[in-house]
């Protein structure tokens, strides 16, 4: 009864807070719903929230978000619980604009995933997200009451993609853009990692692969949602068998069919990538990401580095915090990821001292490059504190190699004599990517990105290499490159490398850990991981089989890191070939299209990692 009473009190408090927020929006803003006509005649549904005191003499900048996930609540008498990226910007006052992108919810048009960019538009029918952003901004500047002629855009995840694509609109009124956890390329982020299919996304395809028949305020794709009859995604997807069996669920899902029929990085995927289109960047840009973002860690880093390279004169900055996907958008008090505690009110610090400061300077201030913010605001996930840099990766970083010695050591020098360490990989008994079965269905889970890896390292099909106990702090800050020298008895294999922080035996638990059965004593915290299909070792455009029993180079980047391995800890590398159902299983027999592999193609293989394999890291002194 006490638990029930506490729950009722919590629900009452939560409802009161939501009501208070909704009441605030309704009290301080006026809502207007409009259709804005694009250059090709398609009309996009847009909601505009204007501060009540906006006028010709009291003007506000516009903050815009474009999304495929609905801008509900619909109707001019219905107000959301909050506006903007944070309550602080909502309370300060902006004109907030939300828009359903074409083909979604109440907007007209046909939906496509990651709309291809058209750099040279020759007619009004040449449209993309850049042109839709341009046409929307142009209408708003001319028609939105009380605007000051300046526009900012933000969004997280898919709305982050629309923000990143919006940079390409080149509208002169777009002064500030903050793509947050943006997708930059579907072959390397979100649905794929280096072309390996993220099978944990399997249940989400109805959201992205069903066209609606008319404008609607409700989800139209629910009839494709799979009723799995279980909460155990590992077992359900293992029982599904080869990916070709998915047709019984998704035969009419256009995005699934596109994915299945484009296993390589062909024109279909290439034209959906954003990176090659950033040349001259006009708005100020602030990329935002989370070091433990299981969905879109690659995007913000890739876009930031691309703009730095292609347009070094642009105002281009990056922020990376100790967060999972989009978790910087809401305050949780004690900032946790999985079982790791990073501090208190970190999201609030970001929202007030970084995000709000960025938009205020470029939309309400003088808008010069002296924003008061650093080039890179990066959170050190080992020291558990913010650090600032005038360049990322830092100019002072030095390269160091860690060799995967056959005695299980992570060695600073290459072993004198060649040797290898072997393991048997069985795709019918794949290594699980997590011990938490409650997270194996739905969108990519958050917690595995810093989860304890002892469960994996104790398996015979996972290789473990580690340093001696560190006598000094070691800070890895920048890029990580895996240079594997491997062989297999099969003709294909996936290679997964995990960078792990091994805690000392006397490490004490923090009081905020959600799972009281977990101990931080000897905890193996995953810091970074990545997969590389050997079939793409020579390029992603064409798959090439491995030659059985032949030593082969498989080289690939892991995403960046800023992490201090403290004195008394160890640095560990784990190498494995399956991590299910995060990644789809590699048959280990080469097939041209693994989405169409047969059950008989899935075969055991013996994999070998040679001791001249090494991990190249950047070290900060």
């Amino acid at each position: 009864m006490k638990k029930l009473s506490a729950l009722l009190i919590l629900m009452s408090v939560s409802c009161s807070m939501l009501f208070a927020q909704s009441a605030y929006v309704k009290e301080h803003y006026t809502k207007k719903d409009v259709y804005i006509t694009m250059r090709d005649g398609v009309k996009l549904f847009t909601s505009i929230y204007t501060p009540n005191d906006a006028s010709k003499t009291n003007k506000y900048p516009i903050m815009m978000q474009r999304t495929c996930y609905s801008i509900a609540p619909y109707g001019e008498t219905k107000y959301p619980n909050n506006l903007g990226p944070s309550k602080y910007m909502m309370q300060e006052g902006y004109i907030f604009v939300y828009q359903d992108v074409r083909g979604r919810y109440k907007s007209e048009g046909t939906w496509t995933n990651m709309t291809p960019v058209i750099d040279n538009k020759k007619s009004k029918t040449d449209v993309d997200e850049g042109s839709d952003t341009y046409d929307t901004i142009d209408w708003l500047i001319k028609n939105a009451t009380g605007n000051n002629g300046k526009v900012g855009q933000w969004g997280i995840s898919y709305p982050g993609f629309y923000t990143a694509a919006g940079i390409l609109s080149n509208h002169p009124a777009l002064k500030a853009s903050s793509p947050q956890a943006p997708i930059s390329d579907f072959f390397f982020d979100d649905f794929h990692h280096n072309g390996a299919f993220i099978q944990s996304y399997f249940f989400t395809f109805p959201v992205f692969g069903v066209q609606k028949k008319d404008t609607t305020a409700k989800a139209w794709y629910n009839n494709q949602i799979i009723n799995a009859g279980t909460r155990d995604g590992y077992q359900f997807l293992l029982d599904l068998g080869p990916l070709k069996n998915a047709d019984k669920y998704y035969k009419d899902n256009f995005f699934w069919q596109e994915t299945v029929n484009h296993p390589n990085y062909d024109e279909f995927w290439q034209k959906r990538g954003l990176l090659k289109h950033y040349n001259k960047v006009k708005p100020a840009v602030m990329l935002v990401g989370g070091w433990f973002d299981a969905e879109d860690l690659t995007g913000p880093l890739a876009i930031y580095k691309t703009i730095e390279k292609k347009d070094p004169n642009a105002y281009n900055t990056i922020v990376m915090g100790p967060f999972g996907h989009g978790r910087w958008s809401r305050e949780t008090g004690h900032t946790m990821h999985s079982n790791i505690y990073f501090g208190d009110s970190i999201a609030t610090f970001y929202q007030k001292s970084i995000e709000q400061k960025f938009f205020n300077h470029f939309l309400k201030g003088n808008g010069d490059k002296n924003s008061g913010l650093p080039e890179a605001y990066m959170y050190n996930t080992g020291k558990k504190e913010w650090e600032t840099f005038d360049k990322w990766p830092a100019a002072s970083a030095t390269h160091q190699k860690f060799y995967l010695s056959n005695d299980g050591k992570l060695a600073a020098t290459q072993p004198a004599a060649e040797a290898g360490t072997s393991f048997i990989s069985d795709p019918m008994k794949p290594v699980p990517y997590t011990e938490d079965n409650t997270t194996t269905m739905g969108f990519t889970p958050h917690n595995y990105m810093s989860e304890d890896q002892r469960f994996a390292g104790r398996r015979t099909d996972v290789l473990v290499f580690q340093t001696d106990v560190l006598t000094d702090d070691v800070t890895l800050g920048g890029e990580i490159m895996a240079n594997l020298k491997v062989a297999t008895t099969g003709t294909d294999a996936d290679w997964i490398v995990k960078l792990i922080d091994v805690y000392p035996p006397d490490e004490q638990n923090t009081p905020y850990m959600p799972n009281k059965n977990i101990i931080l004593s000897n905890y193996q915290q995953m810091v970074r991981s990545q997969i590389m299909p050997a079939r793409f070792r020579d390029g992603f455009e064409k798959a090439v089989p491995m030659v059985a029993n032949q030593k082969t180079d498989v080289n690939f980047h892991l995403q960046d890191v800023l992490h201090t391995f403290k004195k008394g800890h160890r640095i560990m590398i784990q190498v494995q070939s399956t991590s299910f159902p995060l990644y789809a299983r590699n048959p280990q027999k080469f097939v041209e299209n693994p989405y169409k592999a047969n059950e008989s193609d899935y075969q055991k293989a013996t994999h070998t990692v040679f001791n001249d394999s090494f991990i190249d890291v950047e070290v900060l002194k």
Side-chain angles (χ1 to χ4, degrees):
M1 183 62 73
K2 288 182 178 179
K3 290 184 178 180
L4 179 59
S5 298
L7 179 60
L8 291 172
I9 291 171
L10 179 62
M11 291 174 62
S12 176
V13 171
S14 299
C15 290
S16 297
M17 291 174 64
L18 291 174
F19 177 78
Q21 289 176 316
S22 179
Y24 181 92
V25 176
K26 192 169 185 178
E27 180 181 349
H28 291 84
Y29 287 85
T30 299
K31 182 180 182 182
K32 183 178 181 181
D33 290 338
V34 299
Y35 273 102
I36 299 178
T37 304
M38 301 295 102
R39 63 190 65 182
D40 63 345
V42 170
K43 298 176 181 178
L44 303 187
F45 187 84
T46 310
S47 291
I48 305 169
Y49 299 86
T50 305
N52 291 338
D53 61 350
S55 66
K56 291 183 179 180
T57 56
N58 187 35
K59 297 182 178 182
Y60 289 92
I62 295 169
M63 280 290 291
M64 179 177 68
Q65 180 177 109
R66 306 182 66 244
T67 181
C68 58
Y69 292 134
S70 166
I71 63 170
Y74 295 101
E76 291 187 344
T77 61
K78 296 180 180 180
Y79 286 73
N81 297 323
N82 48 66
L83 294 172
S86 72
K87 68 178 181 181
Y88 307 105
M89 292 184 66
M90 175 182 72
Q91 292 168 357
E92 180 176 320
Y94 281 80
I95 298 171
F96 293 103
V97 175
Y98 295 85
Q99 184 177 78
D100 287 330
V101 298
R102 61 172 62 215
R104 300 296 280 187
Y105 290 91
K106 296 199 73 174
S107 284
E108 298 177 352
T110 301
W111 154 254
T112 185
N113 285 286
M114 295 281 288
T115 311
V117 175
I118 303 173
D119 286 322
N120 300 310
K121 300 176 178 65
K122 299 178 180 179
S123 70
K124 290 184 177 180
T125 59
D126 286 342
V127 294
D128 57 16
E129 302 305 337
S131 67
D132 283 356
T133 301
Y134 186 102
D135 294 347
T136 299
I137 291 175
D138 213 52
W139 188 95
L140 291 168
I141 292 298
K142 296 172 182 175
N143 296 280
T145 302
N147 81 82
N148 71 353
K150 297 180 180 181
V151 177
Q153 187 174 2
W154 93 102
I156 296 173
S157 194
Y158 225 141
F161 159 74
Y162 293 113
T163 305
I167 294 171
L168 303 173
S169 70
N170 292 321
H171 196 290
L174 181 62
K175 301 298 184 182
S177 178
S178 182
Q180 302 181 8
I183 313 153
S184 62
D185 193 312
F186 258 162
F187 206 72
F188 301 98
D189 218 357
D190 221 283
F191 279 86
H192 301 86
H193 281 200
N194 288 329
F197 175 54
I198 306 295
Q199 195 168 356
S200 57
Y201 262 49
F202 182 76
F203 300 97
T204 72
F205 272 83
V207 180
F208 304 105
V210 180
Q211 296 287 0
K212 63 184 179 63
K213 296 180 179 180
D214 201 354
T215 58
T216 178
K218 298 180 179 180
W220 60 93
Y221 45 76
N222 285 335
N223 65 333
Q224 269 203 14
I225 299 293
I226 295 173
N227 180 9
T230 178
R231 296 177 63 201
D232 185 351
Y234 181 104
Q235 194 62 49
F236 177 87
L237 292 170
L238 190 64
D239 291 342
L240 176 68
L243 291 172
K244 63 186 296 184
N245 294 342
D247 262 8
K248 65 182 177 181
Y249 298 109
Y250 294 149
K251 182 179 180 180
D252 298 322
N253 186 293
F254 75 84
F255 187 48
W256 175 256
Q257 296 302 324
E258 289 171 342
T259 302
V260 165
N261 289 309
H262 297 279
N264 303 331
Y265 193 52
D266 59 13
E267 183 184 8
F268 176 83
W269 297 113
Q270 291 175 24
K271 69 182 183 181
R272 282 165 167 73
L274 289 177
L275 300 179
K276 63 184 177 182
H277 302 286
Y278 294 112
N279 293 308
K280 292 297 181 180
V281 174
K282 292 183 178 180
V285 177
M286 184 176 75
L287 279 305
V288 180
W291 286 126
F292 304 108
D293 187 344
E295 296 183 33
D296 300 304
L297 176 55
T298 297
L301 292 163
I303 294 174
Y304 167 76
K305 291 178 183 180
T306 298
I307 294 177
E308 283 295 289
K309 182 179 180 179
K310 290 191 173 183
D311 191 0
N313 294 321
Y315 182 96
N316 179 47
T317 60
I318 187 169
V319 181
M320 297 294 295
F323 304 110
H325 189 62
R327 296 295 175 90
W328 52 88
S329 65
R330 57 187 185 276
E331 182 56 71
T332 57
H334 306 305
T335 303
M336 303 287 299
H337 190 273
S338 187
N339 293 290
I340 309 303
Y341 168 65
F342 290 101
D344 290 342
S345 304
I346 298 177
T348 294
F349 173 81
Y350 159 75
Q351 291 170 10
K352 295 179 70 174
S353 301
I354 302 176
E355 183 177 59
Q356 186 177 20
K357 188 173 183 178
F358 169 76
F359 281 115
N360 279 356
H361 178 77
F362 289 102
L363 300 180
K364 293 187 174 185
N366 63 24
D368 63 15
K369 290 187 177 182
N370 299 314
S371 66
L373 292 168
E375 173 79 10
Y377 228 133
M378 316 296 266
Y379 193 91
N380 186 318
T381 54
K383 284 185 177 180
K384 300 180 180 178
E385 61 185 34
W386 287 102
E387 297 184 19
T388 60
F389 300 87
D390 57 11
K391 180 181 179 182
W392 186 262
S396 60
T398 58
H399 285 267
Q400 180 174 337
K401 295 178 180 179
F402 287 110
Y403 286 89
L404 308 184
S405 179
N406 57 298
D407 60 0
K409 296 281 188 177
L410 199 57
T413 57
Q414 182 175 343
E418 181 181 288
T421 309
S422 300
F423 65 96
I424 297 173
S425 175
D426 185 354
M428 305 312 292
K429 295 182 179 180
V431 180
Y433 74 91
T434 180
E435 284 189 301
D436 185 358
N437 285 327
T438 65
T439 68
T440 55
M441 303 181 78
F443 279 83
T444 304
H446 295 273
N447 290 335
Y448 88 92
M449 291 284 284
S450 65
E451 189 177 353
D452 186 3
Q453 297 301 303
R454 280 175 284 194
F455 77 93
R458 290 167 179 166
R459 287 180 57 123
T460 58
D461 49 359
V462 177
L463 301 185
V464 177
F465 308 88
Q466 63 179 338
T467 64
D468 293 330
V469 174
L470 299 176
T471 56
D472 295 291
D473 288 358
V474 176
T475 299
L476 303 188
E479 298 179 343
I480 306 170
M481 184 75 182
N483 295 265
L484 301 186
K485 318 292 183 180
V486 296
T488 178
T489 57
T491 52
D492 200 2
D494 288 341
W495 299 95
I496 298 165
V497 170
K498 298 186 293 191
L499 173 67
I500 294 166
D501 185 342
V502 182
Y503 289 27
D506 60 353
E507 187 79 19
Q508 298 299 304
N509 283 13
T510 65
Y512 313 119
M513 292 170 62
N515 189 339
K516 302 305 179 184
N517 295 322
I518 298 295
I519 55 172
L520 294 183
S521 172
N522 293 326
Y523 192 90
Q524 295 179 6
Q525 179 198 337
M526 192 164 78
V527 176
R528 189 65 67 242
S529 67
Q530 187 56 289
I531 187 172
M532 182 64 189
R535 63 194 293 113
F536 293 135
R537 66 193 181 279
D538 295 331
F540 294 97
E541 294 83 1
K542 180 177 174 59
V544 179
M546 296 184 73
V547 178
N549 300 309
Q550 179 175 299
K551 188 176 180 181
T552 305
D553 289 347
V554 178
N555 303 326
F556 58 100
H557 284 282
L558 283 71
Q559 299 100 334
D560 293 19
V561 68
L562 178 59
H563 185 88
T564 296
F565 294 79
K566 293 184 176 180
K567 176 182 177 181
H569 290 224
R570 295 174 187 259
I571 302 173
M572 176 184 284
I573 294 292
Q574 290 183 3
V575 179
Q576 59 200 70
S577 284
T578 54
S579 189
F580 188 77
L582 179 65
Y583 301 115
R585 297 167 296 148
N586 189 314
Q588 302 189 153
K589 172 187 175 183
F590 181 83
V591 291
E592 289 290 343
N593 187 339
Y595 293 95
K596 298 181 180 181
N598 297 313
E599 188 82 41
S600 59
D601 295 324
Y602 289 77
Q603 300 178 359
K604 287 184 183 180
T606 298
H607 300 332
T608 300
V609 176
F610 293 95
N611 62 355
D612 52 346
S613 299
F614 62 91
I615 311 299
D616 186 289
V617 298
E618 293 189 284
V619 179
L620 299 178
K621 300 296 185 181

